[in-house]
Amino acid sequence: MESLRDLGYSLETAIADIIDNSISADTTHVDIWCAVDVEPLALAVVDDGHGMAEEELIAAMRPGSTSPMETREAGDLGRFGLGLKTASFSQGRRLTVVSRKDGTTSAAIWDLDDLAEQDDWVLSLPDPDEIRNLPWLETLGETGTLILLEKLDRLTEDTDGEARSDLLSAKLVGLQRHLSLVFHRFIEGDTADRRKLKLRVNGIAVDAFDPFCRGQTSTQELPVERMSIGGETIEIRPYILPHHSKLSPQTWRYYKDRSDFLSNQGAYVYRNGRLMAWGDWFRMIPRGEATKLARVRIDFPSSLDALWTIDIKKSRAHPPPAVRARFKRIIERIAGRSMRVHQGRGERMLQADASPVWIRTVGRDGIISYAPDFDHPLLRAAIAGSDPKSEGAVSAALSALGAALPVDALYADFADDPKRVSLAPDSPDTQRDTITELKSVLDPDSDMGPRDFARLVLSTGLAGRNIEVIEVVALELYAA
């Protein structure tokens, strides 16, 4: 029993494993309670599932209560018959389970200290008075189960006082975010034959976090592919997320705060609707900027557990060979689409005008380089307007400016948060002044006309990329 504590659970994976049992019991509400400033520290998971009679409860408390070789009902999220015990003991040394069914309340306790003292499999069955004094018992309804974890020797990490409160609060926030992702399809009601699941942590609702951005109109949902193994169906559904320019600042901040696009690309593997593993291409392609918008949802039933090598924590899933072969063809296709979405926006911005300031060149060796376009009217005007003796120096200065482009810093900032990267003025007054100054340099005699001038201003980037604003100011200048 001591050894079962060290299987590698975190608080998030432990509570998720306990909630799996609640979902298998057809629950619709799960509450997680943990009072960070109360002694002794305890944590509870309370559901309104169908509950267990005493015989069922005692069987559920037995380690390895269900063989992984047994056929489980459709939608059952269990696997080894160990999850309740291993998840609970990973966080604390005392596990109490109270369950109500058919008007009867049953309870059982595993206490590792008692087991060590008596050197025997001693499962305690508390009397009614002991049960009535348990914390959060009042939140248990007419049917359902309360899982109470006590002697939480690992949760606080030897901290105390304010440091302990801060640590526990941070862990509960992390728990909330983990549950919002792992169970997002249950919370959304996106699972067959199940009602929506309502999750709360200390009374605060856990909202679903959809890693595929399906609520965004620019998200591309590609055709689903299905394959059959042993008479069971596996679904593979690819998505291409929108380029950041297609997202509102609020939406971008929401996704940026909750996840990193680069590290969360890859396959999302669901077992009976429950997210098992994510952010991995199974070593078929490397994760990189070009594919960071690609996601693939894979659904398989629990009857194929043995083929997917599910671990006890249910946090790892490795596809069988037949799935890998199909998946490889899919990711090669969607990686190209992700790259086009990611790079295409930048290419369109460079090509949105007839004469971009920068020239992009791909050499025979595949090396890509960017350099100022000295044929651009603005650069020609800058060189021609200088003193003849200084033309060489001006050209050299512009070349140096291009060669000194801080590519590494731009890449790092853009990858971290592209919404914060802007080289153009935000103020309308500044934009207007810039456009007016450009006209005095590029077309002092008003020979171009407003439309051609607006396109040229757009190509410089000095007045931003809002063509509507540029056109309005250009019309005003040429009308004058």
Side-chain angles (χ1 to χ4, degrees):
M1 294 290 275
E2 291 284 353
S3 299
L4 291 179
R5 305 194 72 196
D6 296 308
L7 292 175
Y9 280 97
S10 63
L11 175 64
E12 294 91 344
T13 55
I15 300 303
D17 209 340
I18 293 173
I19 292 174
D20 286 343
N21 294 328
S22 298
I23 293 175
S24 297
D26 296 324
T27 189
T28 58
H29 293 76
V30 175
D31 277 284
I32 296 100
W33 301 101
C34 182
V36 298
D37 295 319
V38 174
E39 289 289 354
L41 183 65
L43 186 149
V45 180
V46 187
D47 69 48
D48 64 350
H50 53 54
M52 294 175 283
E54 185 173 82
E55 307 80 42
E56 296 174 292
L57 173 57
I58 293 174
M61 295 292 276
R62 185 172 61 249
S65 55
T66 303
S67 168
M69 304 305 294
E70 289 185 16
T71 301
R72 292 182 176 266
E73 295 181 6
D76 190 341
L77 299 185
R79 169 64 174 148
F80 295 96
L82 288 170
L84 170 63
K85 286 73 68 174
T86 54
S88 300
F89 289 135
S90 72
Q91 305 304 309
R93 300 186 61 81
R94 182 181 175 93
L95 164 64
T96 302
V97 180
V98 182
S99 197
R100 285 180 180 159
K101 181 178 184 180
D102 299 331
T104 301
T105 300
S106 306
I109 300 173
W110 276 124
D111 190 308
L112 295 186
D113 294 327
D114 289 346
L115 264 66
E117 181 180 345
Q118 301 188 41
D119 193 23
D120 199 359
W121 294 97
V122 181
L123 179 68
S124 302
L125 302 179
D127 60 41
D129 288 336
E130 291 179 277
I131 297 174
R132 278 192 292 268
N133 292 325
L134 292 173
W136 297 295
L137 183 69
E138 70 279 2
T139 66
L140 184 61
E142 294 182 359
T143 63
T145 301
L146 180 150
I147 310 296
L148 180 65
L149 309 184
E150 299 174 286
K151 297 184 179 180
L152 299 171
D153 57 333
R154 295 181 172 180
L155 191 57
T156 59
E157 300 179 14
D158 294 326
T159 58
D160 53 24
E162 187 176 345
R164 192 191 84 153
S165 296
D166 292 344
L167 175 65
L168 290 175
S169 297
K171 286 190 174 185
L172 291 177
V173 170
L175 169 65
Q176 189 171 1
R177 293 190 171 192
H178 181 81
L179 300 181
S180 71
L181 173 61
V182 169
F183 297 107
H184 76 92
R185 291 172 63 183
F186 294 92
I187 300 172
E188 295 166 332
D190 184 25
T191 49
D193 303 322
R194 285 191 184 276
R195 289 174 293 173
K196 285 186 177 182
L197 174 66
K198 293 184 179 179
L199 272 173
R200 293 184 297 188
V201 176
N202 281 341
I204 300 174
V206 176
D207 296 323
F209 178 72
D210 177 16
F212 309 111
C213 301
R214 287 175 296 178
Q216 302 298 313
T217 56
S218 299
T219 296
Q220 301 178 41
E221 182 174 343
L222 307 184
V224 63
E225 296 197 21
R226 295 179 176 87
M227 58 185 302
S228 179
I229 297 180
E232 300 287 356
T233 300
I234 296 175
E235 288 191 351
I236 305 176
R237 192 184 304 269
Y239 294 87
I240 304 297
L241 272 58
H243 188 271
H244 74 86
S245 62
K246 296 289 187 179
L247 301 175
S248 69
Q250 296 82 1
T251 302
W252 168 258
R253 283 194 296 270
Y254 172 74
Y255 278 97
K256 175 63 181 175
D257 180 56
R258 297 298 303 267
S259 66
D260 180 77
F261 274 31
L262 180 62
S263 63
N264 284 343
Q265 63 182 280
Y268 285 68
V269 181
Y270 294 82
R271 172 182 179 264
N272 291 346
R274 195 263 210 205
L275 183 58
M276 306 288 289
W278 63 92
D280 186 9
W281 289 117
F282 304 126
R283 299 185 180 181
M284 295 183 188
I285 60 171
R287 292 189 299 182
E289 279 290 324
T291 56
K292 73 177 184 179
L293 300 179
R295 310 281 190 275
V296 181
R297 189 179 105 181
I298 303 177
D299 282 280
F300 74 93
S302 56
S303 54
L304 297 180
D305 279 351
L307 293 177
W308 283 83
T309 59
I310 302 299
D311 66 349
I312 289 177
K313 302 190 304 296
K314 288 177 280 190
S315 60
R316 184 196 69 201
H318 191 73
V323 176
R324 287 180 64 86
R326 178 77 66 89
F327 186 65
K328 185 175 183 179
R329 293 195 295 270
I330 292 173
I331 62 176
E332 288 172 349
R333 184 176 73 248
I334 67 168
R337 294 191 68 152
S338 172
M339 190 178 300
R340 287 194 294 273
V341 170
H342 185 58
Q343 294 181 340
R345 181 66 181 175
E347 292 172 357
R348 285 195 296 275
M349 290 178 68
L350 287 176
Q351 297 169 2
D353 43 83
S355 182
V357 173
W358 290 91
I359 297 176
R360 179 180 184 270
T361 304
V362 181
R364 292 182 179 180
D365 54 1
I367 299 298
I368 300 172
S369 62
Y370 288 85
D373 181 5
F374 287 102
D375 288 330
H376 189 281
L378 182 61
L379 301 190
R380 285 206 313 266
I383 295 172
S386 62
D387 184 279
K389 296 181 180 179
S390 304
E391 286 187 8
V394 173
S395 297
L398 291 173
S399 297
L401 183 65
L405 184 70
V407 175
D408 291 342
L410 284 172
Y411 174 83
D413 290 337
F414 199 84
D416 178 61
D417 192 347
K419 288 289 187 183
R420 295 178 57 199
V421 179
S422 175
L423 302 179
D426 293 326
S427 166
D429 292 338
T430 304
Q431 289 178 324
R432 181 179 293 274
D433 292 343
T434 300
I435 296 170
T436 302
E437 183 67 26
L438 284 171
K439 183 179 184 305
S440 67
V441 174
L442 297 174
D443 193 21
D445 299 326
S446 299
D447 295 329
M448 288 186 184
R451 185 172 181 81
D452 289 340
F453 172 70
R455 287 168 58 82
L456 191 55
V457 170
L458 179 66
S459 75
T460 69
L462 293 172
R465 293 289 181 180
N466 193 328
I467 185 63
E468 290 80 7
V469 172
I470 295 173
E471 286 179 343
V472 168
V473 178
L475 288 171
E476 293 175 359
L477 291 174
Y478 279 82

